[in-house]
Amino acid sequence: MIEDILKDFSFSAPWENMQRDIENICRALRGRPLADLENEKLLRVDMLESVFYRNKAAYLVGRMIFHGEVVPLILPCLNNGRGSIFVDTLLHSNDSASIIFSFTRSYFMVDAPIPSRFVRFLSTIMPLKEKSELYNSIGFHKHGKTEFYRHILAHMKVSNDKFVIAPGIKGMVMSVFTLPSYPVVFKVIKDRFDRPKTVTEKIVKEKYKFVSRSDRVGRMADTQEYTNFIFYRNRFSDELLEELQKLAPSKLLIDDKWVIIKHLYVERRMEPLNLYLQNANEEETREAMEEYGNAIKQLAAANIFPGDMLLKNFGVTRHGRVVFYDYDELCPLTECNFRKIPEAQTAEQELADKPWYTVDEADVFPEEFRLFFSGNPVARAAFEKQHSDLYDYRYWRRLQDRIRAGHVESAFPYRRKWRFHRRAPAIARKK
């Protein structure tokens, strides 16, 4: 059966070693997801006929049905760099499928003649994921926006809580609010930004557009942009309405029944990393700091520099992943100039409260990243134990050199330990 599935997808490139891949897949299936299946003739497998392409991988997406249970069957295929392909792993859990189709990943390139049919199929293997997210994940973001709006209107009819200011440190550029019973935040650009921000509203919108077109490598939240979003006025808390009228009056139209926000962004709600760390134990702090450093490194490898890397600008997902969500200062990594802080030559320079050396707009001093942990020495110690190389300007310059040379890092949306072991095929010697 697995052989039939692989042969049905007629890639132009040959398989590196199909028999080995079949054995790997069968071994993995019998090891866990089908361990209790006594009669394999009772197993039914459905595969979507289209291939899902993203980054360096092609995903074969299907489902297994047995004993009334639906189990994902996802096979990521990679190119070995020598012109042939192989199956890298088998993904068979709802959580692993959800991470593949995560809101932190770039949209798939997939031929979906009837998008609703694909979404219905995907919902059977990811029952907890909203249809709007699934539409977004396969590149139909307008369908996703429509589905989201319908869903939140339906939710409003069966809930009675009010929109409130989102928890966490307030941003200098955005006013952010949320509905406690609904897992998203709404972000409105302020009419005037707090100091020392120097960006403009136009620049902020360009940054968000840049994110929507970038490879988010699982480390940046997808954001949907809306104009003239209509809310019921009686669902707004007095505190929130007062803040919006004070900080973004040009974005509002208000009457006795409605609040219309002329422009806003919708984003998945996550717990801000700085708040998460306040209640985290030592092990959770260590894992969060490992994730925080990995997020910075993976974004950098994708040629994205977050700019403002304060802990409050990162969130923690339900899977424990750390994700960046504040985009007003990000830029391509190759546009930054990473420098070492010059050594002071005099006592006056050493004691100066301002830099005594010239600093251009694109200059970045990685040694200053230590300041991000000034209020949390435990988090700082955990971070430095695992990611102290991020303090070295040479690390960043080496990464820039790799990107400029055309190197594209591999971004696996699954754990590397899940990858199949494979022997490289023997290469015929030239006579």
Side-chain angles (χ1 to χ4, degrees), residues 2 6 20-30 73 75 87 89-90 420:
I2 296 299
L6 296 184
R20 177 205 60 206
D21 291 346
I22 292 170
E23 292 173 1
N24 283 337
I25 295 168
C26 291
R27 188 181 305 112
L29 285 173
R30 292 179 175 130
L73 175 62
L75 302 173
V87 178
T89 189
L90 164 73
F420 291 145

Side-chain angles (χ1 to χ4, degrees), residues 11-167:
F11 292 110
S12 58
W15 291 96
E16 178 185 81
N17 187 334
M18 181 183 286
Q19 189 57 42
R20 177 205 60 206
D21 291 346
I22 292 170
E23 292 173 1
N24 283 337
I25 295 168
C26 291
R27 188 181 305 112
L29 285 173
R30 292 179 175 130
R32 187 172 181 185
L34 302 182
D36 299 329
L37 185 64
E38 297 178 359
N39 184 358
E40 291 183 357
K41 291 183 179 181
L42 299 177
L43 173 66
R44 169 182 151 192
V45 175
D46 303 322
M47 300 295 295
L48 287 171
E49 66 271 23
S50 296
V51 180
F52 291 66
Y53 294 96
R54 185 177 62 202
N55 200 268
K56 295 181 179 182
Y59 296 83
L60 313 184
V61 179
R63 64 189 176 193
M64 299 177 286
I65 302 174
F66 59 96
H67 300 326
E69 185 178 1
V70 179
V71 177
L73 175 62
I74 302 177
L75 302 173
C77 302
L78 301 179
N79 193 300
N80 64 5
R82 298 184 298 273
S84 54
I85 57 177
F86 61 92
V87 178
D88 194 41
T89 189
L90 164 73
L91 304 173
H92 55 75
S93 70
N94 296 128
D95 280 348
S96 62
S98 182
I99 291 172
I100 292 289
F101 287 85
S102 171
F103 67 97
T104 64
R105 300 279 170 187
S106 303
Y107 307 144
F108 283 103
M109 179 184 293
V110 56
D111 181 15
I114 306 176
S116 60
R117 175 173 170 254
F118 275 61
V119 168
R120 282 197 300 271
F121 184 97
L122 294 171
S123 293
T124 65
I125 62 174
M126 292 172 280
L128 298 180
K129 193 172 283 293
E130 297 294 341
K131 287 185 172 62
S132 58
E133 284 190 44
L134 293 174
Y135 275 113
N136 291 338
S137 70
I138 60 175
F140 290 87
H141 66 279
K142 290 186 178 180
H143 294 62
K145 288 171 65 174
T146 302
E147 191 69 32
F148 167 79
Y149 192 67
R150 289 173 179 166
H151 192 273
I152 194 170
L153 288 180
H155 177 81
M156 297 279 282
K157 293 179 180 178
V158 296
S159 63
N160 56 16
D161 55 336
K162 292 190 175 185
F163 289 95
V164 296
I165 299 171

Side-chain angles (χ1 to χ4, degrees), residues 170-270:
K170 293 184 179 181
M172 298 179 180
V173 172
M174 296 281 196
S175 179
V176 184
F177 64 95
T178 188
L179 188 67
S181 62
Y182 202 78
V184 302
V185 294
F186 301 85
K187 305 171 76 171
V188 182
I189 301 176
K190 296 179 180 179
D191 286 356
R192 284 180 291 185
F193 302 153
D194 300 340
R195 293 181 179 180
K197 294 290 184 179
T198 59
V199 296
T200 64
E201 181 172 330
K202 180 180 178 181
I203 292 175
V204 172
K205 289 181 177 179
E206 289 174 350
K207 300 289 187 182
Y208 275 76
K209 185 174 292 186
F210 172 76
V211 169
S212 70
R213 297 177 178 178
S214 300
D215 183 2
R216 298 194 297 276
V217 294
R219 296 299 183 176
M220 289 194 294
D222 187 24
T223 303
Q224 299 300 317
E225 185 178 13
Y226 286 85
T227 57
N228 297 323
F229 202 110
I230 302 175
F231 300 89
Y232 290 107
R233 176 170 178 161
N234 63 358
R235 297 299 294 270
F236 275 66
S237 68
D238 294 337
E239 182 185 14
L240 172 59
L241 206 53
E242 181 181 346
E243 176 173 297
L244 291 175
Q245 289 174 316
K246 177 182 178 182
L247 300 179
S250 70
K251 309 294 191 307
L252 302 180
L253 291 175
I254 303 177
D255 61 23
D256 294 338
K257 187 175 182 180
W258 309 109
V259 173
I260 301 176
I261 300 182
K262 298 178 183 178
H263 181 269
L264 59 73
Y265 296 99
V266 177
E267 195 173 276
R268 173 70 74 86
R269 186 174 66 219
M270 293 171 278

